Amino acid sequence: MTALFDFDERYKGGARAFLVSVNFSQNDDSGSLEELKMLAISSGAEIVGILTCTRSSPDPKYFIGSGKAAELKSQVEFWDGETVIFNHELSPSQERNLEGLLGCRVITRTALILDIFADRARTREGKLQVELAQLGYLETRLVRGWTHLERQRGGFGLRGGPGETQLEYDRRLLKERVNTLRRELAVVEKQRDQGGRARSRRGLPVVSLVGYTNSGKSTLFNTLTNADVYAADQLFATLDPTLRTVTLPRTGKTVFADTVGFIRELPHNLVAAFKATLREARESDLALMVIDSGDEDMKEKIASVEEVMEDIGAGSVPVLKVYNKIDRIPGISPHVEHDSSGMPCAVSISGKEKLGIDLLLQAISERLGRDRVCLELCLPPDAGALRQRLFEMGAIDSESYDDIGCDHLRITHSLTELARLSARFGGDLERFVTVPAGFRFHKESWED
């Protein structure tokens, strides 16, 4: 019964696909259809035709109505289509009716996204989350025609009641697999939580890159961190989060996190399944919202990203907007925009051409540097416990010793955390500060 959970049986990348999109409002739906095309291409499908229509409400039997369904059937047969992809959610009965009429596979936008996610997931956590989302989607469509395998009688003799049907058996297997996946995910999430707590103890600020898929997040991440994350001009080129540490001028060691790209009307079961993966965005100190500055639907996509941020519990995270790909727009040069308080709120750059990266790093440092200080300390030989704690926090930028054994440290860290540390050591940290001279921690700077 392992084939029950093989989602690739329903759709295989590379198939000859026919796209269907229905407009239920007076608004232009071309952006959503264009996105469906990009999703299909990203999955490897060959688009052989597109059917669009306008309706006031879905048809109960075929979703698009019997007339349009007949037209779709003739078009699919003419172009030898292997799969029909709807830009909408279909009920299980609508899906079965369409498959019976068209004689080919019928999948929805959600199933297509799940297929792409399954193909791109690389880490164990990502694969587990994708399979869990797939099974949640499959559960509502679990209808089998294997009635010949059902136990028609149960118990002893001929008077026993009906036994377990094939559908019941499939549902039981699915439920068992879902429970197994959840247990395995709990272990993986616990390990990720431990890593997050370790970074928190060290006081390292976290900057997450979020944004609409294909906005250039991974390319910018590679530029900022000198990483080699896969980047391509396609939707969901990368799925699993990647973390790298970068030393910034004012904030010291900073963790940068590249996350999965967002998309409009992201299926809720995907949002639920990937909450653990997206915790980097939810728990970051600053979110870089990467935006394709040349996209005609830029405002709508910004709204979609903000909506997903709310869904995953990251709505309160401070945001610095990064208008990417300015190299594609004539007459625009790298620049920084400031809010009413004088803090950077938006930066225009090109991650691919490395234009304005210095401005972006400066803006990040300013946004994170509100609560960070750079100090020079002179610790006597008997202050080993304090030195060890500073190392554990990741606060030490450089270290040297003089002729009498004193330890000269240059540290960069959160003012709040350093004030708390100084209080634990009876104010010793304050006494050892040499630069800036006369530095003092104020009570209000560390009180909760």
Side-chain angles (χ1 to χ4, degrees), residues 40-99:
I41 293 171
S42 294
S43 72
E46 178 189 355
I47 301 175
V48 296
I50 299 174
L51 175 70
T52 61
C53 63
T54 301
R55 291 184 61 89
S56 58
S57 61
D59 177 69
K61 185 175 183 180
Y62 292 123
F63 191 82
I64 55 176
S66 57
K68 280 294 181 181
E71 179 185 341
L72 177 61
K73 176 179 173 63
S74 64
Q75 290 290 321
V76 169
E77 291 175 349
F78 180 81
W79 293 104
D80 194 23
E82 299 173 279
T83 304
V84 174
I85 305 175
F86 273 73
N87 196 23
H88 314 273
E89 286 304 303
L90 303 176
S91 69
S93 61
Q94 288 170 337
E95 196 172 310
R96 291 195 305 274
N97 293 337
L98 286 165
E99 286 185 345

Side-chain angles (χ1 to χ4, degrees), residues 291-296 298 322-327 329 332 348-349:
I291 303 163
D292 184 350
S293 54
D295 196 320
E296 295 180 355
M298 180 174 62
V322 181
Y323 291 95
N324 195 20
K325 304 184 182 182
I326 63 169
D327 54 297
I329 306 176
I332 296 185
S348 296
I349 58 103

Side-chain angles (χ1 to χ4, degrees), residues 10-29:
R10 294 195 55 79
Y11 172 71
K12 292 195 178 290
R16 293 170 58 84
F18 209 97
L19 309 185
V20 179
S21 180
V22 183
N23 189 3
F24 291 104
S25 67
Q26 301 300 320
N27 299 325
D28 181 21
D29 199 39

Side-chain angles (χ1 to χ4, degrees), residues 166-182:
Q166 182 64 34
L167 179 59
E168 291 169 340
Y169 181 57
D170 288 348
R171 283 176 175 163
R172 180 164 59 82
L173 286 180
L174 187 144
K175 185 176 181 180
E176 290 173 357
R177 180 59 180 161
V178 166
N179 291 336
T180 300
L181 287 174
R182 285 174 176 167

Side-chain angles (χ1 to χ4, degrees), residues 107-122:
I107 67 171
T108 65
R109 183 174 180 272
T110 298
L112 181 61
I113 295 174
L114 285 170
D115 176 79
I116 297 173
F117 273 40
D119 183 57
R120 306 280 165 78
R122 293 293 178 266

